[in-house]
Amino acid sequence: MSTTKLKELVAKEKSEVVNHDFMQLMKSGNINPELYALYLWNQLKRYQMVEDCADQENLFDGIEMVKRYNAIRDDFEEIWYDQLGKKRAPEGYLHNTSQYMKHVREILKDEIADSLQIQAHIYALHMADLEKGQDFKDHVPGASRYHTFDFDADAVKDIISERCTDEMADEANVVFDYNEKILDDLWALDIPKFK
């Protein structure tokens, strides 16, 4: 199915994420490595949850390579432990990361929830990575495995698009809203933003 209408239905929320000050800082090449590592730490938990849920529904069949958990984990560990010399993982997660995880757990508990809702998370997270990841690849600390795709990204985008429907818009907008709130949480941290 074409995602043309879906793109229109999520355009506003998606634009707010793409144009967020935190995303612009990542693109600038001047982000503080500790702040970026905390971004990865929070992304790590979110992607782990979504990818585990999606695997239970076989939603990554044929596109397994798009999963980002391992890449995010490796980037986080390189920056947090190797570059910054930290001995322990950060304590807890940002408020809105925890709220996001609670939201996904509620989807799983809902007897009428279906794989379409989790597919909406793949659309809002993984598809967005494929579309915008290259904007960050050469500008963030570390090797940026998270934003490196050693496969035909356009072909994978086509497969994800074929699996999308307009009914996913509400849930995709929820994900984009959480994305923005998590970026707000990161922006508000008492950590220098620039390196």
Side-chain angles (χ1 to χ4, degrees):
M1 173 171 280
S2 169
T3 55
T4 304
K5 183 83 183 288
L6 179 59
K7 285 180 182 179
E8 293 171 8
L9 295 170
V10 302
K12 179 180 179 290
E13 286 77 3
K14 184 176 180 181
S15 175
E16 289 171 358
V17 173
V18 169
N19 294 310
H20 195 282
D21 288 339
F22 191 89
M23 299 300 262
Q24 299 307 309
L25 176 60
M26 282 180 27
K27 285 196 322 192
S28 76
N30 294 315
I31 190 167
N32 176 337
E34 183 173 354
L35 183 59
Y36 181 64
L38 291 173
Y39 164 79
L40 293 172
W41 175 248
N42 284 271
Q43 292 292 79
L44 184 65
K45 193 61 179 175
R46 297 173 73 212
Y47 278 71
Q48 179 182 31
M49 179 168 270
V50 169
E51 291 176 5
D52 286 350
C53 294
D55 280 339
Q56 292 173 23
E57 299 289 328
N58 301 314
L59 297 179
F60 284 112
D61 282 1
I63 56 167
E64 295 84 0
M65 71 290 286
V66 79
K67 292 195 265 186
R68 300 284 86 197
Y69 172 80
N70 289 338
I72 296 169
R73 180 202 59 212
D74 292 348
D75 283 348
F76 168 76
E77 290 178 355
E78 174 193 359
I79 297 165
W80 191 257
Y81 297 114
D82 299 342
Q83 291 183 9
L84 297 174
K86 304 279 188 180
K87 302 297 182 200
R88 295 190 179 113
E91 290 185 22
Y93 299 94
L94 297 169
H95 171 72
N96 281 296
T97 300
S98 297
Q99 292 300 110
Y100 175 83
M101 293 186 292
K102 179 181 175 186
H103 174 76
V104 175
R105 282 192 292 272
E106 287 169 359
I107 291 172
L108 298 177
K109 283 194 270 184
D110 186 347
E111 291 180 12
I112 62 169
D114 59 21
S115 61
L116 203 59
Q117 288 180 292
I118 297 299
Q119 185 69 38
H121 289 249
I122 293 172
Y123 175 78
L125 295 175
H126 298 79
M127 181 74 133
D129 292 336
L130 292 171
E131 292 174 345
K132 291 293 182 183
Q134 295 301 309
D135 292 351
F136 309 111
K137 182 175 180 266
D138 298 323
H139 304 289
V140 293
S144 194
R145 298 164 192 87
Y146 176 19
H147 302 111
T148 301
F149 310 112
D150 56 355
F151 53 86
D152 185 345
D154 289 332
V156 174
K157 284 193 280 189
D158 288 344
I159 294 170
I160 294 173
S161 293
E162 289 167 9
R163 297 176 182 180
C164 292
T165 69
D166 295 345
E167 290 96 357
M168 291 169 42
D170 287 345
E171 188 64 24
N173 277 326
V174 168
V175 182
F176 286 123
D177 188 49
Y178 273 115
N179 290 352
E180 183 179 14
K181 288 176 180 175
I182 290 166
L183 295 177
D184 287 343
D185 287 350
L186 285 160
W187 196 255
L189 289 176
D190 189 21
I191 294 174
K193 293 175 179 51
F194 301 93
K195 60 180 172 181

Short mmCIF file of all heavy atoms in Angstrom, two decimals, residues 121-166:
data_model
loop_
_atom_site.label_atom_id
_atom_site.label_comp_id
_atom_site.label_asym_id
_atom_site.label_seq_id
_atom_site.Cartn_x
_atom_site.Cartn_y
_atom_site.Cartn_z
N HIS A 121 5.03 1.80 14.89
CA HIS A 121 6.27 2.17 15.59
C HIS A 121 7.47 1.93 14.68
O HIS A 121 8.41 2.72 14.67
CB HIS A 121 6.39 1.38 16.90
CG HIS A 121 5.42 1.82 17.94
ND1 HIS A 121 5.78 2.48 19.08
CD2 HIS A 121 4.07 1.71 17.99
CE1 HIS A 121 4.71 2.75 19.81
NE2 HIS A 121 3.65 2.28 19.16
N ILE A 122 7.44 0.86 13.92
CA ILE A 122 8.50 0.62 12.94
C ILE A 122 8.54 1.75 11.92
O ILE A 122 9.60 2.26 11.57
CB ILE A 122 8.32 -0.75 12.25
CG1 ILE A 122 8.52 -1.89 13.25
CG2 ILE A 122 9.28 -0.90 11.07
CD1 ILE A 122 8.17 -3.26 12.70
N TYR A 123 7.37 2.16 11.48
CA TYR A 123 7.29 3.26 10.52
C TYR A 123 7.88 4.55 11.11
O TYR A 123 8.69 5.23 10.47
CB TYR A 123 5.83 3.49 10.09
CG TYR A 123 5.66 4.68 9.19
CD1 TYR A 123 5.99 4.61 7.84
CD2 TYR A 123 5.18 5.89 9.69
CE1 TYR A 123 5.85 5.71 7.02
CE2 TYR A 123 5.03 7.00 8.87
CZ TYR A 123 5.36 6.90 7.54
OH TYR A 123 5.24 8.00 6.71
N ALA A 124 7.48 4.87 12.35
CA ALA A 124 7.90 6.14 12.95
C ALA A 124 9.34 6.13 13.45
O ALA A 124 9.97 7.19 13.55
CB ALA A 124 6.96 6.52 14.10
N LEU A 125 9.89 4.95 13.72
CA LEU A 125 11.28 4.87 14.19
C LEU A 125 12.22 4.45 13.06
O LEU A 125 13.09 5.22 12.65
CB LEU A 125 11.39 3.89 15.36
CG LEU A 125 10.66 4.27 16.65
CD1 LEU A 125 10.77 3.15 17.67
CD2 LEU A 125 11.21 5.56 17.23
N HIS A 126 12.04 3.25 12.56
CA HIS A 126 12.99 2.69 11.59
C HIS A 126 12.91 3.37 10.22
O HIS A 126 13.94 3.65 9.60
CB HIS A 126 12.77 1.18 11.46
CG HIS A 126 13.01 0.44 12.73
ND1 HIS A 126 12.07 0.40 13.75
CD2 HIS A 126 14.07 -0.27 13.17
CE1 HIS A 126 12.55 -0.30 14.76
NE2 HIS A 126 13.76 -0.74 14.44
N MET A 127 11.69 3.64 9.77
CA MET A 127 11.55 4.33 8.48
C MET A 127 12.14 5.73 8.57
O MET A 127 12.84 6.18 7.66
CB MET A 127 10.07 4.40 8.08
CG MET A 127 9.85 5.07 6.73
SD MET A 127 10.34 3.98 5.38
CE MET A 127 8.93 4.17 4.32
N ALA A 128 11.91 6.40 9.69
CA ALA A 128 12.49 7.74 9.88
C ALA A 128 14.02 7.67 9.87
O ALA A 128 14.69 8.56 9.33
CB ALA A 128 11.98 8.36 11.18
N ASP A 129 14.57 6.61 10.47
CA ASP A 129 16.03 6.44 10.44
C ASP A 129 16.53 6.31 9.00
O ASP A 129 17.54 6.91 8.63
CB ASP A 129 16.45 5.18 11.21
CG ASP A 129 16.23 5.31 12.70
OD1 ASP A 129 16.19 6.44 13.22
OD2 ASP A 129 16.07 4.25 13.35
N LEU A 130 15.83 5.52 8.22
CA LEU A 130 16.25 5.31 6.82
C LEU A 130 16.16 6.61 6.03
O LEU A 130 16.98 6.87 5.15
CB LEU A 130 15.37 4.25 6.16
CG LEU A 130 15.54 2.83 6.69
CD1 LEU A 130 14.46 1.91 6.12
CD2 LEU A 130 16.92 2.28 6.34
N GLU A 131 15.16 7.43 6.36
CA GLU A 131 14.97 8.69 5.63
C GLU A 131 15.94 9.78 6.07
O GLU A 131 16.39 10.58 5.26
CB GLU A 131 13.53 9.18 5.80
CG GLU A 131 12.52 8.30 5.11
CD GLU A 131 11.09 8.71 5.40
OE1 GLU A 131 10.83 9.48 6.35
OE2 GLU A 131 10.21 8.23 4.67
N LYS A 132 16.25 9.83 7.37
CA LYS A 132 17.03 10.95 7.90
C LYS A 132 18.38 10.57 8.49
O LYS A 132 19.17 11.44 8.86
CB LYS A 132 16.21 11.68 8.98
CG LYS A 132 15.02 12.43 8.43
CD LYS A 132 15.50 13.58 7.58
CE LYS A 132 14.37 14.39 7.02
NZ LYS A 132 14.90 15.45 6.15
N GLY A 133 18.66 9.29 8.62
CA GLY A 133 19.89 8.85 9.27
C GLY A 133 21.16 9.41 8.66
O GLY A 133 22.11 9.74 9.37
N GLN A 134 21.16 9.53 7.35
CA GLN A 134 22.35 10.04 6.68
C GLN A 134 22.67 11.49 7.08
O GLN A 134 23.81 11.93 6.97
CB GLN A 134 22.19 9.94 5.16
CG GLN A 134 22.11 8.50 4.66
CD GLN A 134 23.34 7.69 5.02
OE1 GLN A 134 24.46 8.09 4.76
NE2 GLN A 134 23.12 6.54 5.64
N ASP A 135 21.66 12.22 7.55
CA ASP A 135 21.88 13.60 7.99
C ASP A 135 22.80 13.67 9.20
O ASP A 135 23.43 14.69 9.46
CB ASP A 135 20.55 14.27 8.35
CG ASP A 135 19.65 14.50 7.16
OD1 ASP A 135 20.10 14.30 6.01
OD2 ASP A 135 18.48 14.88 7.37
N PHE A 136 22.86 12.58 9.97
CA PHE A 136 23.63 12.57 11.22
C PHE A 136 24.91 11.77 11.14
O PHE A 136 25.81 11.98 11.94
CB PHE A 136 22.76 12.00 12.35
CG PHE A 136 21.43 12.65 12.47
CD1 PHE A 136 20.27 11.95 12.15
CD2 PHE A 136 21.31 13.97 12.88
CE1 PHE A 136 19.02 12.56 12.24
CE2 PHE A 136 20.08 14.58 12.97
CZ PHE A 136 18.93 13.87 12.65
N LYS A 137 24.98 10.87 10.20
CA LYS A 137 26.05 9.87 10.14
C LYS A 137 27.45 10.43 10.36
O LYS A 137 28.23 9.90 11.13
CB LYS A 137 25.98 9.14 8.80
CG LYS A 137 27.00 8.05 8.64
CD LYS A 137 26.78 7.30 7.32
CE LYS A 137 27.79 6.20 7.17
NZ LYS A 137 28.95 6.59 6.41
N ASP A 138 27.79 11.50 9.70
CA ASP A 138 29.15 12.05 9.76
C ASP A 138 29.29 13.18 10.77
O ASP A 138 30.33 13.84 10.82
CB ASP A 138 29.58 12.53 8.37
CG ASP A 138 29.62 11.40 7.36
OD1 ASP A 138 30.01 10.29 7.75
OD2 ASP A 138 29.26 11.63 6.19
N HIS A 139 28.25 13.41 11.59
CA HIS A 139 28.27 14.58 12.47
C HIS A 139 28.18 14.25 13.95
O HIS A 139 28.36 15.14 14.78
CB HIS A 139 27.13 15.53 12.08
CG HIS A 139 27.17 15.95 10.66
ND1 HIS A 139 28.13 16.81 10.16
CD2 HIS A 139 26.40 15.59 9.60
CE1 HIS A 139 27.93 16.98 8.87
NE2 HIS A 139 26.90 16.26 8.49
N VAL A 140 27.90 13.00 14.28
CA VAL A 140 27.77 12.64 15.69
C VAL A 140 29.03 11.92 16.16
O VAL A 140 29.79 11.39 15.35
CB VAL A 140 26.52 11.75 15.92
CG1 VAL A 140 25.25 12.55 15.65
CG2 VAL A 140 26.57 10.49 15.07
N PRO A 141 29.26 11.89 17.47
CA PRO A 141 30.45 11.19 17.99
C PRO A 141 30.41 9.69 17.66
O PRO A 141 29.34 9.12 17.47
CB PRO A 141 30.35 11.42 19.50
CG PRO A 141 29.48 12.62 19.68
CD PRO A 141 28.50 12.56 18.54
N GLY A 142 31.57 9.09 17.64
CA GLY A 142 31.66 7.65 17.45
C GLY A 142 31.51 7.22 16.01
O GLY A 142 31.49 8.04 15.09
N ALA A 143 31.39 5.92 15.83
CA ALA A 143 31.35 5.33 14.49
C ALA A 143 30.00 5.48 13.81
O ALA A 143 29.89 5.23 12.61
CB ALA A 143 31.72 3.85 14.57
N SER A 144 28.98 5.85 14.55
CA SER A 144 27.63 6.06 14.02
C SER A 144 27.10 4.85 13.26
O SER A 144 26.58 4.96 12.15
CB SER A 144 27.57 7.32 13.14
OG SER A 144 26.23 7.69 12.91
N ARG A 145 27.21 3.70 13.88
CA ARG A 145 26.65 2.48 13.30
C ARG A 145 25.13 2.61 13.18
O ARG A 145 24.52 2.07 12.26
CB ARG A 145 26.98 1.27 14.18
CG ARG A 145 28.48 1.00 14.32
CD ARG A 145 28.72 0.05 15.51
NE ARG A 145 30.13 -0.02 15.86
CZ ARG A 145 30.75 0.81 16.69
NH1 ARG A 145 30.09 1.80 17.26
NH2 ARG A 145 32.03 0.66 16.97
N TYR A 146 24.54 3.31 14.15
CA TYR A 146 23.09 3.54 14.17
C TYR A 146 22.61 4.15 12.86
O TYR A 146 21.54 3.80 12.36
CB TYR A 146 22.80 4.46 15.36
CG TYR A 146 21.39 4.95 15.57
CD1 TYR A 146 20.29 4.33 15.00
CD2 TYR A 146 21.16 6.03 16.40
CE1 TYR A 146 19.00 4.80 15.24
CE2 TYR A 146 19.88 6.50 16.65
CZ TYR A 146 18.81 5.88 16.06
OH TYR A 146 17.55 6.34 16.31
N HIS A 147 23.39 5.04 12.30
CA HIS A 147 22.99 5.76 11.09
C HIS A 147 23.70 5.25 9.84
O HIS A 147 23.74 5.93 8.81
CB HIS A 147 23.27 7.25 11.27
CG HIS A 147 22.56 7.84 12.45
ND1 HIS A 147 23.21 8.26 13.58
CD2 HIS A 147 21.24 8.01 12.69
CE1 HIS A 147 22.33 8.70 14.45
NE2 HIS A 147 21.14 8.55 13.95
N THR A 148 24.28 4.07 9.92
CA THR A 148 24.98 3.47 8.78
C THR A 148 24.18 2.27 8.30
O THR A 148 23.85 1.38 9.09
CB THR A 148 26.40 3.03 9.18
OG1 THR A 148 27.12 4.19 9.64
CG2 THR A 148 27.13 2.42 8.00
N PHE A 149 23.88 2.23 7.02
CA PHE A 149 23.08 1.15 6.46
C PHE A 149 23.89 0.45 5.37
O PHE A 149 24.16 1.04 4.33
CB PHE A 149 21.77 1.69 5.89
CG PHE A 149 21.05 2.59 6.87
CD1 PHE A 149 20.92 3.95 6.63
CD2 PHE A 149 20.53 2.08 8.05
CE1 PHE A 149 20.28 4.78 7.53
CE2 PHE A 149 19.88 2.90 8.97
CZ PHE A 149 19.75 4.25 8.71
N ASP A 150 24.26 -0.80 5.64
CA ASP A 150 25.05 -1.55 4.66
C ASP A 150 24.12 -2.45 3.84
O ASP A 150 24.40 -3.62 3.63
CB ASP A 150 26.15 -2.36 5.36
CG ASP A 150 25.60 -3.29 6.42
OD1 ASP A 150 24.38 -3.26 6.68
OD2 ASP A 150 26.40 -4.06 6.99
N PHE A 151 23.01 -1.88 3.44
CA PHE A 151 22.02 -2.57 2.62
C PHE A 151 21.32 -1.52 1.78
O PHE A 151 21.53 -0.32 1.97
CB PHE A 151 21.02 -3.34 3.50
CG PHE A 151 20.36 -2.50 4.56
CD1 PHE A 151 19.22 -1.76 4.30
CD2 PHE A 151 20.88 -2.46 5.85
CE1 PHE A 151 18.62 -0.98 5.27
CE2 PHE A 151 20.28 -1.68 6.84
CZ PHE A 151 19.15 -0.95 6.54
N ASP A 152 20.49 -1.96 0.88
CA ASP A 152 19.76 -1.05 0.00
C ASP A 152 18.61 -0.41 0.78
O ASP A 152 17.53 -0.99 0.92
CB ASP A 152 19.24 -1.82 -1.21
CG ASP A 152 18.56 -0.92 -2.25
OD1 ASP A 152 18.25 0.24 -1.93
OD2 ASP A 152 18.35 -1.41 -3.38
N ALA A 153 18.87 0.78 1.31
CA ALA A 153 17.88 1.46 2.17
C ALA A 153 16.59 1.75 1.41
O ALA A 153 15.50 1.64 1.97
CB ALA A 153 18.47 2.74 2.74
N ASP A 154 16.70 2.11 0.14
CA ASP A 154 15.50 2.40 -0.64
C ASP A 154 14.61 1.17 -0.79
O ASP A 154 13.38 1.27 -0.72
CB ASP A 154 15.86 2.97 -2.01
CG ASP A 154 16.42 4.39 -1.92
OD1 ASP A 154 16.05 5.11 -0.97
OD2 ASP A 154 17.21 4.77 -2.80
N ALA A 155 15.22 0.02 -1.00
CA ALA A 155 14.45 -1.21 -1.13
C ALA A 155 13.73 -1.54 0.17
O ALA A 155 12.56 -1.96 0.16
CB ALA A 155 15.37 -2.37 -1.54
N VAL A 156 14.40 -1.33 1.30
CA VAL A 156 13.78 -1.60 2.60
C VAL A 156 12.65 -0.60 2.86
O VAL A 156 11.59 -0.96 3.37
CB VAL A 156 14.83 -1.59 3.73
CG1 VAL A 156 14.16 -1.71 5.09
CG2 VAL A 156 15.83 -2.71 3.53
N LYS A 157 12.87 0.66 2.50
CA LYS A 157 11.81 1.66 2.65
C LYS A 157 10.57 1.25 1.85
O LYS A 157 9.44 1.40 2.32
CB LYS A 157 12.28 3.04 2.19
CG LYS A 157 13.19 3.73 3.19
CD LYS A 157 13.39 5.19 2.86
CE LYS A 157 14.41 5.40 1.79
NZ LYS A 157 14.79 6.81 1.59
N ASP A 158 10.80 0.72 0.66
CA ASP A 158 9.67 0.27 -0.17
C ASP A 158 8.90 -0.85 0.52
O ASP A 158 7.66 -0.87 0.50
CB ASP A 158 10.16 -0.21 -1.54
CG ASP A 158 10.63 0.94 -2.43
OD1 ASP A 158 10.29 2.11 -2.13
OD2 ASP A 158 11.34 0.66 -3.42
N ILE A 159 9.62 -1.79 1.13
CA ILE A 159 8.96 -2.90 1.82
C ILE A 159 8.15 -2.40 3.01
O ILE A 159 6.99 -2.78 3.21
CB ILE A 159 9.98 -3.97 2.25
CG1 ILE A 159 10.62 -4.63 1.02
CG2 ILE A 159 9.33 -5.01 3.15
CD1 ILE A 159 11.81 -5.51 1.33
N ILE A 160 8.75 -1.50 3.79
CA ILE A 160 8.02 -0.94 4.94
C ILE A 160 6.78 -0.20 4.45
O ILE A 160 5.69 -0.35 5.01
CB ILE A 160 8.93 -0.03 5.78
CG1 ILE A 160 10.05 -0.84 6.44
CG2 ILE A 160 8.12 0.71 6.85
CD1 ILE A 160 11.10 -0.01 7.16
N SER A 161 6.93 0.57 3.38
CA SER A 161 5.80 1.32 2.83
C SER A 161 4.67 0.40 2.41
O SER A 161 3.49 0.69 2.65
CB SER A 161 6.25 2.16 1.62
OG SER A 161 7.13 3.17 2.01
N GLU A 162 5.02 -0.72 1.80
CA GLU A 162 4.00 -1.67 1.35
C GLU A 162 3.22 -2.27 2.52
O GLU A 162 2.08 -2.70 2.34
CB GLU A 162 4.66 -2.80 0.56
CG GLU A 162 5.18 -2.38 -0.80
CD GLU A 162 6.09 -3.41 -1.45
OE1 GLU A 162 6.19 -4.54 -0.90
OE2 GLU A 162 6.70 -3.09 -2.48
N ARG A 163 3.82 -2.28 3.69
CA ARG A 163 3.17 -2.87 4.87
C ARG A 163 2.37 -1.84 5.67
O ARG A 163 1.78 -2.17 6.69
CB ARG A 163 4.22 -3.52 5.76
CG ARG A 163 4.94 -4.67 5.07
CD ARG A 163 6.04 -5.24 5.93
NE ARG A 163 6.75 -6.31 5.23
CZ ARG A 163 7.76 -6.99 5.73
NH1 ARG A 163 8.19 -6.72 6.94
NH2 ARG A 163 8.35 -7.94 5.02
N CYS A 164 2.39 -0.60 5.23
CA CYS A 164 1.74 0.48 5.97
C CYS A 164 0.33 0.75 5.44
O CYS A 164 0.06 0.55 4.27
CB CYS A 164 2.57 1.76 5.87
SG CYS A 164 4.14 1.67 6.74
N THR A 165 -0.50 1.22 6.35
CA THR A 165 -1.85 1.64 5.97
C THR A 165 -2.14 2.98 6.64
O THR A 165 -1.49 3.36 7.62
CB THR A 165 -2.91 0.62 6.43
OG1 THR A 165 -2.98 0.65 7.85
CG2 THR A 165 -2.58 -0.78 5.95
N ASP A 166 -3.15 3.67 6.12
CA ASP A 166 -3.53 4.95 6.69
C ASP A 166 -4.01 4.81 8.14
O ASP A 166 -3.92 5.74 8.92
CB ASP A 166 -4.62 5.61 5.85
CG ASP A 166 -4.13 5.97 4.45
OD1 ASP A 166 -2.90 5.96 4.24
OD2 ASP A 166 -4.98 6.25 3.58
#
